[in-house]
Amino acid sequence: MKSYGNGGIWDFEAKIPVDGDGGVILGLDGGTTSTVCVCMPAAMPVVAGRLPEPLPILSRAIAGCTNHNSIGENAARETLEKVMAQALSDAHASRSVVRAVCLAVSGVNHPSDQERIQDWLRAIFPSHVKLLVENDAVAAMASGTMGKLHGCVLIAGTGTIAYGYNEDGRKARAAGAGPILGDWGSGYGIAAQALTAIVRAHDGRGPQTKLTYNILKSLDLASPDELIGWTYADPSWARIAALVPVVVSSAEDGDEVANKILHHSALELADSVKAVVQRLSLCGEDGKGSFPLVMVGGVLEGNKGWDIGKEVVNHISKVYPGVQPIQPKVEPAVGAALLAWNCFMEELTN
């Protein structure tokens, strides 16, 4: 084991006993905005096939972005290692008692991404530790299905992705390629369209909109001309996406442009889910079967007059009436931990 360029972040282990009562599991959900790592006991009682409620969480650590496409691979690795070390330190556990780790991180889009991160993890954890590396959408799905991989998940936060598994273990995804390649329906996509609408209105190329006054006021800017400097001073995805509540409130106030942006976004999100459902035949040959749709992310949360999540489900149900929306009871990091726990238990019983 070694530290990957993070100095003495593992020094706390010298003060922790090597023996652990059954060991621990780490689950990590890494997004474009923030990263959460939870530590759970590996020995959890299962009664009639059900886990305890509430689930025992030994510790929870929070860090910033860990998407290597957004901040670079070295910065992402450094943040990942620090947040895992913090979770273990807070749980008074060392790497020697870790039984399984699931890293579910945005930006993991190809087997080569998984292999690279697994190799890096293998240098940090003992050889007995079961290691899983997935896209963060997988943790989000597991948070709604309590660790089972079947159905579809739709994430719509700063970015967006639809991800699914069928009963044969086949998986498919739609969207999730980042803002440059068109993550329409994401927080970034919604806010970017709003900023574009302001510029178009200012130029005379588009209709006037309440977005101009509302967004300029929220940013403490005097003129649409100042948007250019504000945008490119720090074009980080999360900073742009933070404007979504202003777009929603403008739509609720009757602004036609804002409403059009949200309606288009709901259609885009629904199309992503429908593409995954079709490719995996989640509804059977006749399209009438049922499937769970786990819905995660700030964009999908309901507001007073605008509920994007509800609009998305309405669009999907017109084609696939068996859709069963699920609002997770646990956060995605716990979903990742449950995936790791399931793998650990399967290995024990086989």
Side-chain angles (χ1 to χ4, degrees), residues 174-189:
I180 294 175
L181 298 178
D183 266 359
W184 305 122
S186 69
Y188 180 96

Side-chain angles (χ1 to χ4, degrees), residues 1-11 81 95 120 123-124:
M1 297 185 295
K2 65 179 182 180
S3 171
Y4 192 95
N6 274 333
I9 68 166
W10 298 104
D11 287 352
E81 187 173 2
R95 288 172 288 177
W120 165 68
I124 294 175

Side-chain angles (χ1 to χ4, degrees), residues 63-138:
C65 174
T66 48
N67 184 323
H68 65 91
N69 293 323
S70 178
I71 63 172
E73 190 156 317
N74 288 337
R77 287 182 174 186
E78 182 175 349
T79 303
L80 287 169
E81 187 173 2
K82 283 182 177 178
V83 76
M84 289 188 293
Q86 186 65 55
L88 285 173
S89 176
D90 291 347
H92 304 289
S94 67
R95 288 172 288 177
S96 63
V97 300
V98 175
R99 300 294 179 254
V101 178
C102 177
L103 257 63
V105 188
S106 64
V108 175
N109 301 315
H110 191 271
S112 62
D113 296 326
Q114 292 176 301
E115 292 171 9
R116 194 170 63 253
I117 296 174
Q118 280 183 330
D119 288 343
W120 165 68
L121 283 175
R122 183 52 64 205
I124 294 175
F125 289 96
S127 58
H128 71 265
V129 179
K130 178 73 175 177
L131 301 175
L132 300 175
V133 177
E134 301 286 355
N135 186 277
D136 62 332
V138 178

Side-chain angles (χ1 to χ4, degrees), residues 32-33 158 188 235-243:
T32 305
T33 304
T158 299
Y188 180 96
S236 64
W237 304 346
R239 179 171 175 260
I240 303 296
L243 295 172

